[in-house]
Amino acid sequence: MTATAPPEPVTWSDRLRAVIFDLDGTLFDHESSAVAALRQWVPRLGVETVTDVLLAAWFEAEDRHFGAWQNGLISYVEQRRARLRDFLPHVGHRPGTDAELDRHIADYLTCYASTWQRFDDVDAALTAVARAGLATAVLTNGIDQQQFAKVEAIGLAGRVGPVFTAEAIGVAKPAPITYLTVCERLGVPAEAVLHVGDRHDLDVLAPRAVGLNAVHLDRTGRGPLDEPHRITSLAELGRFLPPAAVGSAAS
């Protein structure tokens, strides 16, 4: 899908009052964390080498079943079990009972939590936002316990927030109410908010459709390349922000 080109940044940047960040893939490096976790966890299942094929199988199952949860088709617990039902045969294991799946999930999640990391361009973006005098929030398609823990573990608690999850709101992005709820809680009209994220569908097209401004963080260079408000690093975010606020601290 090709985005309809919104106005040039100069026509809306000066009226910005807040920035909403996505979490996974934007501030939090989920993919690198998951790969590192799999390299710890899979050998416990008796497979020494975590191949690219195994990694691809994991992420394919994750995308498919997490998407089903986002669309309200299955519960959060069930999407985790469904991932393992797909993945375990790739490492020579039968899926087993729900209780057995839950034990595998708990083991993987322990490894995953030990590998959490943020992207190295986050500090530059948050510094630019602070200099511009803008409020921040995080909107994430996840559950409270895990997403709040991620923000804490990667050193962003108190630097970004509040954090809004799909679990707390009751629906996931791209439902319009998700973006509008955050704007309402911040006390800022949609047209004065910039949404930033790595998914063009969820983080650009959907918020733009309900009146927010949006910038696509295209870390992988997959596009769409004709998106006029596209960056490949959060370090570039400053060009979409208003000038530094008078009296802002210099680093």
Side-chain angles (χ1 to χ4, degrees), residues 59-141:
F59 286 114
E60 190 280 328
E62 177 182 83
D63 288 346
R64 181 150 46 89
H65 296 297
F66 193 77
W69 171 73
Q70 289 177 341
N71 292 325
L73 302 177
I74 57 177
S75 71
Y76 196 82
V77 169
E78 183 54 34
Q79 65 85 21
R80 282 177 165 170
R81 292 170 178 165
R83 290 190 212 179
L84 287 189
R85 291 191 190 100
D86 286 358
F87 180 74
L88 286 175
H90 290 277
V91 291
H93 283 254
R94 297 181 60 183
T97 66
D98 285 352
E100 290 169 332
L101 290 172
D102 291 345
R103 286 194 289 273
H104 283 306
I105 291 166
D107 194 23
Y108 167 75
L109 290 176
T110 297
C111 296
Y112 181 50
S114 74
T115 65
W116 288 346
Q117 57 192 288
R118 71 177 187 241
F119 288 103
D120 60 10
D121 55 9
V122 171
D123 286 336
L126 295 183
T127 296
V129 170
R131 285 176 172 168
L134 305 179
T136 61
V138 173
L139 175 60
T140 170
N141 276 357

